[in-house]
C-alpha cells in the first residue's frame, strides 16, 4: 500500500448527497477476480454515455472536464460511500488516482475500506464543506493541499481547516501498513482466547459433529 | 453502574485484546463467504503463503452470479462463471465447506446461514457483504466487511474494530394487519434517514418487535445498513430458541440445553443506557413505498410524491429533484397511481418462506395485470423453494402468471441475467433503490412482499390493508 504523507490537487466537486457504492462502481464490474484496473469504470453510469453502441465521455460529468480530469481529491456531500460493502469502490477510486475525499460524513464500511487502500477521508463541518463548494464554483482550478501528519487542509487562498483522524488510521496511512502482519504478532493471545471460548461454548466449534 | 446493552455484552465477550487507544481485536465466530467479495482475499493469502486460521468457522456459497433459471447447463456469462468457479476452487484448496450451485442448501448467504443453524445467538458473524446485519436478528453481533478484512479474518479469525455508539429503536404497540417488518424498517429509515445510524449499533426492541417472527426480525436487521448502521440486533427470546431447535448445525442434546441457558442472557439489562433512543408507535405504521433513489425517500401508501420545494434543506432539495428526474415522477402524484412494469419478489430482505406465504395470500386465485411485463419470484434458498413447493405456493404463483425461479440474489442487484431494462419501473421487495441498482436506467420502488404481490395484480400500487 502506498504511504500517504501530503497531497496537493485541484478539488473535484461532486455535489450530491448519499453517493452510493453502486454509483462509484456498478455491479457489472464486480465480476472480476482481480483488484487491478478498475479506475476506468469509476462512476461509470455518470461518466459515460452510450450512443449508437459507442461509449462516450459524458461532458456534463466533472471528471470529464478540465481541470478536474487528473484531480486527486474529491469534494463530496453527506453520507458518502453508503450502500454495499464492495471494496471495488475504493479499488476503483485508488486506481483512478483519487487519494483523498473531503465530505461532511462517510458510510462506515466504505470508510474502513478506504483506509485499507491508502485513501484518506477528511470530514469537515457542513458549513465548511458548503464554503469549499462555493470556492470551487467561483475559482477555476481551485486547489488544496492536505497534510496528514499535521492534520490540516490548506486552500490555495490561504485558508486552513483542521481535521480529526483516528491515530491508528493515521499511523497506518502514513506508513502504508498491512494489518495481517500486525495481528499475527498477537497470535498467542488469539489462541488463548480461542481455547477459553472452546471450553465455555463448545457448540461454536466442530459443528460438523454436533 | 448502569446495566449492559446487548451490544455491550456481545462486544465484551469477543474481545481478544484492547489497545490503549480503544482499538479492539475482536474474535470472529462465523465467517460467511460468497463469490463476489472473496476472490481477491484468497489470492492475497496465496501470495503471502498464508493458511486459513480456522476452516470450520467458514462457510461459503455462490449467490450473486447464479442463474435463477435451469442451472443444469451451467452459467452462460463467462465472467460470472469464472467467479463462481473461482470460489469452488478456493474452497477446495483451503478446505472450506461450500454449498455449491447444485446443492439443495445453496441460496442467498443471509438466508441459508440462519436456516442451517450456522448463525447462533452470541456469535460474531461477518461476511464481505453489507447485508450481514441480517444475522443480528438471532442475538448475534453481525456486520459487513470489505475484501481486505475478509482476507484478515481468513488469516487471523479476528478483526480490528472500535466500539460503535448504541442506539435503541423501540417500537410500541402492534403492527396493523397487512403491515409487516419491511414496512416497519422502511418507516424507521424514513424517520432517521440513511445516515441516521452511521456510527451506531442498533438494537430493535419493544412489543411490536417482540411480536415479529424471527424471519421478520431478519428483515428488520437486514436493512439496518440502509439506515447507516453496520449492525442491527434483536435480543434472544423463546421465539429465537424455538427457531433454532433441530437446525442442522445447531447444537443438540446436552449441548443444546447448555447453549440455551447461555443464550437467554443475551438481552439488554433493564437499566442499560443507550447513546440514542428512537421511539415509534407500531399501530401508526402504514404500508410503505419508496418514491426516490435512496431508501429514505419513502412514504406511506396513502401519500404522494413530495415536492422538492418542501425539502428540509438545499442539499435534500437537490437530491429530491435528481431523484424525481431519474424516477420520471412529478410532485403530487398519488402513490397509488404509479404503474409498474415489473415486479421482483426475493432478496436477502424478503425471500424467506413467510415472505412467500404473504405474497401468495394476496395472489391466490388472481392473475397479474396484463400491463405488468413480468413478475419474478425468487426464493432465498433451495430449502425455502422446496418448502414453498410442498405448500403449493409455486402453483399459486404460476397460475397468476408469475415466474417461479431458482434461489439467488437475482434482480436485487442484477449481477446475473435478471435485470430491468432502462426506463422500466419495478416494485421490488429488495433493499436498495439506488440509480441503476436493478439494471442501468431501471427504476425501483421498495415495498413489502404483500405490497409487491398486490402491485403485480393491480398493475399499480394499492393498499394491501384494504385488499379483498
Amino acid at each position: 500500500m502506498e504511504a500517504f504523507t501530503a497531497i496537493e490537487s485541484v478539488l473535484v466537486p461532486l455535489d450530491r448527497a448519499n453517493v452510493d457504492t453502486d454509483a462509484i462502481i456498478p455491479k457489472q464490474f464486480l465480476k472480476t477476480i482481480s483488484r487491478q484496473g478498475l479506475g476506468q469504470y469509476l462512476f461509470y453510469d455518470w461518466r459515460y454515455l452510450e450512443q449508437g453502441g459507442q461509449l462516450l465521455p459524458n461532458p456534463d460529468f466533472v471528471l470529464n472536464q478540465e481541470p478536474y480530469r487528473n484531480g486527486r481529491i474529491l469534494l463530496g456531500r453527506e453520507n458518502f460511500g453508503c450502500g454495499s460493502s464492495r471494496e471495488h469502490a475504493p479499488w476503483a477510486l485508488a486506481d483512478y488516482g483519487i487519494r483523498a475525499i473531503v465530505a461532511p460524513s462517510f458510510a462506515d464500511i466504505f470508510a474502513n475500506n478506504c483506509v485499507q487502500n491508502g485513501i484518506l477521508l477528511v470530514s469537515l463541518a457542513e458549513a465548511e464543506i458548503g464554503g469549499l463548494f462555493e470556492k470551487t464554483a467561483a475559482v477555476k482550478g481551485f486547489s488544496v493541499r492536505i497534510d496528514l501528519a499535521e492534520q490540516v487542509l490548506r486552500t490555495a487562498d490561504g485558508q486552513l481547516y483542521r481535521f480529526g483522524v483516528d491515530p491508528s488510521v493515521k499511523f497506518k496511512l502514513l506508513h502504508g501498513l498491512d494489518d495481517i502482519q500486525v495481528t499475527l504478532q498477537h497470535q498467542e493471545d488469539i489462541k488463548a482466547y480461542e481455547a477459553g471460548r472452546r471450553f465455555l461454548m463448545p457448540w461454536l466449534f466442530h459443528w460438523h459433529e454436533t | 453502574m448502569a446495566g449492559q446493552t446487548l451490544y455491550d455484552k456481545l462486544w465484551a465477550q469477543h474481545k481478544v485484546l484492547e489497545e490503549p487507544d480503544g482499538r479492539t481485536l475482536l474474535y470472529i465466530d462465523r465467517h460467511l463467504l460468497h463469490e463476489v467479495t472473496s476472490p481477491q482475499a484468497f489470492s492475497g493469502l496465496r501470495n503471502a503463503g498464508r493458511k486459513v486460521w480456522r476452516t470450520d468457522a467458514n462457510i461459503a456459497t455462490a449467490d450473486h452470479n447464479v442463474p435463477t433459471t435451469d442451472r443444469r447447463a451451467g452459467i452462460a456469462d463467462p465472467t460470472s462463471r469464472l467467479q463462481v468457479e473461482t470460489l469452488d476452487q478456493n474452497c477446495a484448496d483451503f478446505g472450506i465447506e461450500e454449498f455449491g450451485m447444485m446443492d439443495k442448501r445453496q441460496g442467498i448467504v443471509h438466508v441459508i446461514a440462519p436456516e442451517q443453524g450456522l448463525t447462533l445467538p452470541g456469535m460474531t458473524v461477518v461476511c464481505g457483504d453489507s447485508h450481514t446485519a441480517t444475522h443480528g436478528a438471532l442475538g448475534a453481533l453481525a456486520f459487513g466487511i470489505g475484501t481486505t478484512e475478509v482476507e484478515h479474518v481468513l488469516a487471523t479469525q479476528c478483526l480490528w474494530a472500535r466500539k460503535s455508539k448504541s442506539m435503541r429503536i423501540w417500537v410500541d404497540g402492534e403492527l396493523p394487519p397487512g403491515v409487516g417488518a419491511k414496512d416497519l424498517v422502511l418507516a424507521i429509515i424514513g424517520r432517521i434517514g440513511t445516515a441516521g445510524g452511521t456510527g451506531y449499533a442498533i438494537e430493535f426492541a419493544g412489543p411490536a418487535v417482540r411480536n415479529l417472527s424471527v424471519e421478520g426480525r431478519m428483515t428488520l436487521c437486514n436493512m439496518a445498513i440502509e439506515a447507516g448502521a453496520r449492525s442491527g440486533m434483536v435480543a434472544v427470546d423463546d421465539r429465537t430458541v424455538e427457531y433454532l431447535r433441530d437446525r442442522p448445525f445447531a447444537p443438540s442434546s446436552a449441548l443444546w440445553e447448555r447453549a440455551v441457558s447461555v443464550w437467554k442472557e443475551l438481552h439488554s439489562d433493564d437499566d442499560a443506557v443507550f447513546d440514542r433512543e428512537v421511539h415509534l408507535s407500531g399501530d401508526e405504521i402504514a404500508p410503505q413505498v419508496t418514491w426516490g433513489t435512496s431508501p429514505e425517500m419513502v412514504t406511506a401508501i396513502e401519500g404522494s410524491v413530495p415536492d422538492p420545494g418542501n425539502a428540509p434543506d438545499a442539499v435534500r432539495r437537490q437530491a429530491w429533484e435528481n431523484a424525481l428526474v431519474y424516477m420520471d415522477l412529478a410532485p403530487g402524484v398519488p402513490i397509488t397511481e404509479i404503474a409498474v412494469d415489473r415486479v421482483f419478489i426475493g432478496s436477502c430482505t424478503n425471500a424467506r418462506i413467510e415472505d412467500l406465504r404473504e405474497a401468495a395470500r394476496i395472489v391466490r386465485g388472481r392473475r397479474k395485470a396484463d400491463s405488468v411485463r413480468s413478475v419474478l419470484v425468487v426464493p432465498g434458498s433451495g430449502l425455502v423453494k422446496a418448502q414453498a413447493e410442498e405448500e403449493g405456493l409455486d402453483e399459486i404463483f404460476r397460475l397468476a402468471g408469475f415466474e417461479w425461479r431458482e434461489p439467488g440474489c437475482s434482480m436485487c442487484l442484477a449481477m446475473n441475467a435478471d435485470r430491468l431494462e432502462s426506463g422500466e419501473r419495478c416494485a421490488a421487495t429488495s433493499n436498495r433503490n439506488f440509480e441503476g441498482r436493478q439494471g442501468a436506467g431501471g427504476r425501483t420502488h421498495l415495498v413489502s412482499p404483500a405490497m409487491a404481490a398486490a402491485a403485480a395484480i393491480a398493475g399499480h400500487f394499492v393498499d394491501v390493508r384494504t385488499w379483498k
Side-chain angles (χ1 to χ4, degrees):
Chain A
M1 198 169 86
E2 196 183 336
F4 191 112
T5 48
I7 185 160
E8 192 168 339
S9 160
V10 58
L11 200 51
V12 182
L14 192 59
D15 197 356
R16 283 171 172 260
N18 299 312
V19 169
D20 59 73
T21 53
D22 278 78
I24 297 173
I25 185 162
K27 81 279 276 150
Q28 62 269 37
F29 308 112
L30 309 187
K31 296 184 186 184
T32 173
I33 56 170
S34 151
R35 316 179 170 231
Q36 266 83 48
L38 293 174
Q40 55 188 313
Y41 310 125
L42 181 68
F43 296 120
Y44 188 84
D45 289 339
W46 294 341
R47 196 166 140 207
Y48 301 106
L49 293 171
E50 250 184 72
Q51 271 171 3
Q54 261 201 317
L55 205 60
L56 301 170
N58 177 356
D60 294 336
F61 187 64
V62 66
L63 285 177
N64 293 325
Q65 298 163 356
E66 291 304 348
Y68 302 117
R69 213 180 290 272
N70 295 315
R72 309 192 74 192
I73 305 177
L74 279 183
L75 177 65
R77 295 283 187 186
E78 62 177 36
N79 201 27
F80 195 100
C82 62
S84 132
S85 65
R86 60 190 68 166
E87 198 163 315
H88 308 68
W91 292 338
L93 286 161
D95 188 54
Y96 184 88
I98 303 294
R99 295 301 311 279
I101 309 174
V102 184
S105 60
F106 300 92
D108 286 341
I109 304 178
F110 175 75
N112 261 8
N113 286 340
C114 281
V115 177
Q116 313 284 7
N117 291 280
I119 299 173
L120 173 67
L121 303 183
V122 175
S123 327
L124 297 177
E126 297 262 6
E128 294 175 318
I129 296 291
L132 289 171
F133 270 107
E134 281 167 23
K135 286 186 184 175
T136 55
V139 182
K140 196 173 165 64
F142 181 75
S143 73
V144 300
R145 178 186 163 85
I146 298 175
D147 189 315
L148 176 56
E150 282 186 62
Q151 297 181 218
V152 292
L153 180 151
R154 277 191 192 81
T155 63
D157 60 356
Q159 261 203 305
L160 196 141
Y161 301 82
R162 296 200 174 278
F163 59 87
V165 59
D166 182 318
S168 64
V169 166
K170 181 174 175 177
F171 185 79
K172 219 175 122 155
L173 286 174
L174 284 172
H175 297 93
L177 284 182
D178 159 4
D179 268 352
I180 295 180
Q181 265 171 312
V182 178
T183 307
L184 285 175
Q185 290 170 359
H186 297 292
Q187 55 180 302
E188 292 314 314
D189 293 316
I190 302 172
K191 283 180 187 159
Y193 173 90
E194 202 165 51
R197 194 153 180 79
R198 195 184 290 264
F199 178 74
L200 284 172
M201 302 185 191
W203 58 87
L204 297 176
F205 296 79
H206 299 304
W207 44 264
H208 301 95
E209 295 111 62
T210 55
Chain B
M1 196 179 113
Q4 288 185 299
T5 64
L6 171 57
Y7 176 59
D8 290 333
K9 293 180 187 182
L10 291 169
W11 182 268
Q13 285 175 15
H14 290 89
K15 205 185 275 187
V16 174
L17 60 92
E18 184 175 336
E19 298 285 3
D21 69 356
R23 277 198 331 141
T24 300
L25 192 62
L26 274 192
Y27 188 78
I28 303 302
D29 294 310
R30 177 69 68 233
H31 186 205
L32 312 170
L33 294 143
H34 65 63
E35 78 277 19
V36 180
T37 53
S38 66
Q40 295 87 349
F42 283 111
S43 23
L45 287 186
R46 263 193 206 96
N47 293 343
R50 291 182 175 129
K51 294 184 307 185
V52 172
W53 180 278
R54 199 187 126 205
T55 50
D56 76 325
N58 296 276
I59 183 82
T61 197
D63 54 7
H64 285 60
N65 281 278
V66 296
T68 58
T69 47
D70 190 352
R71 288 178 179 170
R72 282 168 298 187
I75 304 175
D77 174 2
T79 52
S80 284
R81 187 169 65 234
L82 177 62
Q83 209 168 44
V84 171
E85 286 171 355
T86 303
L87 180 69
D88 296 343
Q89 190 61 50
N90 283 330
C91 288
D93 290 353
F94 287 91
I96 288 170
E97 179 147 351
E98 186 198 5
F99 298 158
M101 192 169 77
M102 303 309 285
D103 192 312
K104 260 211 129 26
R105 300 168 296 176
Q106 178 270 341
I108 305 172
V109 71
H110 307 308
V111 174
I112 66 170
E115 180 177 82
Q116 290 292 321
L118 287 163
T119 301
L120 295 172
M123 277 183 164
T124 37
V125 180
V126 298
C127 176
D129 194 294
S130 60
H131 289 111
T132 309
T134 312
H135 307 266
L138 290 156
L141 176 59
F143 53 93
I145 57 178
T147 298
T148 300
E149 291 176 309
V150 168
E151 184 180 337
H152 191 278
V153 174
L154 286 169
T156 69
Q157 209 52 48
C158 291
L159 274 179
W160 289 100
R162 267 179 201 285
K163 201 171 174 192
S164 302
K165 289 178 284 182
S166 61
M167 182 191 299
R168 179 163 63 183
I169 297 184
W170 183 273
V171 191
D172 270 321
E174 207 177 326
L175 299 179
V179 176
K182 181 62 162 292
D183 301 302
L184 175 57
V185 72
L186 285 172
I188 289 170
I189 295 163
R191 166 84 82 85
I192 71 172
T194 46
T198 304
Y200 289 91
I202 296 180
E203 179 176 346
F204 298 98
V209 174
R210 287 273 137 251
N211 228 343
L212 290 174
S213 65
V214 173
E215 285 90 343
R217 296 172 190 180
M218 287 186 216
T219 302
L220 199 56
C221 292
N222 173 273
M223 289 188 70
I225 186 68
E226 265 60 63
R230 280 182 95 171
S231 59
M233 62 196 82
V234 175
V236 171
D237 63 6
D238 291 342
R239 286 193 184 183
T240 324
V241 172
E242 281 318 304
Y243 174 88
L244 287 165
R245 193 186 290 278
D246 299 327
R247 300 265 164 196
F249 293 100
S252 54
S253 54
L255 273 186
W256 170 258
E257 296 302 328
R258 246 176 96 187
V260 169
S261 68
V262 170
W263 296 345
K264 293 248 161 127
E265 299 302 314
L266 294 169
H267 55 80
S268 291
D269 296 333
D270 291 339
D271 56 344
V273 177
F274 292 81
D275 295 307
R276 186 177 169 197
E277 297 245 24
V278 175
H279 285 255
L280 279 88
S281 171
D283 306 284
E284 290 166 14
I285 311 275
Q288 304 282 306
V289 183
T290 65
W291 52 265
T293 52
S294 164
E296 70 184 16
M297 297 175 180
V298 64
T299 189
I301 180 68
E302 61 265 42
S304 50
V305 176
D307 185 341
N310 298 330
D313 55 61
V315 172
R316 274 195 193 77
R317 186 180 318 132
Q318 187 60 53
W320 289 15
E321 279 170 9
N322 293 345
L324 294 192
V325 169
Y326 183 85
M327 295 296 288
D328 191 26
L329 289 172
V333 171
I335 297 295
T336 49
E337 285 180 16
I338 299 173
V340 300
D341 304 305
R342 303 244 243 159
V343 176
F344 170 60
I345 298 173
S347 87
C348 58
T349 313
N350 281 130
R352 299 178 185 83
I353 187 67
E354 72 165 37
D355 298 315
L356 302 186
R357 286 180 189 143
E358 185 64 3
R361 176 179 74 80
I362 298 286
V363 171
R364 189 184 298 272
R366 295 181 166 88
R367 269 196 70 79
K368 76 169 181 68
D370 290 339
S371 57
V372 173
R373 279 172 217 149
S374 77
V375 183
L376 250 55
V377 187
V378 186
S381 72
L383 295 176
V384 167
K385 180 168 185 265
Q387 174 71 30
E389 287 172 354
E390 200 179 301
E391 296 178 19
L393 306 185
D394 58 324
E395 215 35 45
I396 295 173
F397 293 131
R398 278 205 196 87
L399 287 171
F402 293 12
E403 294 171 45
W404 179 244
R405 295 292 189 92
E406 298 294 324
C409 299
S410 180
M411 210 163 67
C412 172
L413 85 170
M415 273 190 78
N416 68 352
D418 310 334
R419 68 187 63 156
L420 297 180
E421 297 299 321
S422 186
E424 281 187 326
R425 188 181 298 286
C426 180
T429 65
S430 45
N431 41 57
R432 292 191 174 132
N433 51 354
F434 299 156
E435 289 184 14
R437 171 80 177 180
Q438 293 193 282
R443 300 174 176 132
T444 303
H445 296 270
L446 304 176
V447 287
S448 72
M451 287 287 288
I457 305 297
H460 56 86
F461 292 111
V462 289
D463 190 341
V464 289
R465 290 173 302 181
T466 54
W467 188 260
K468 295 210 174 59

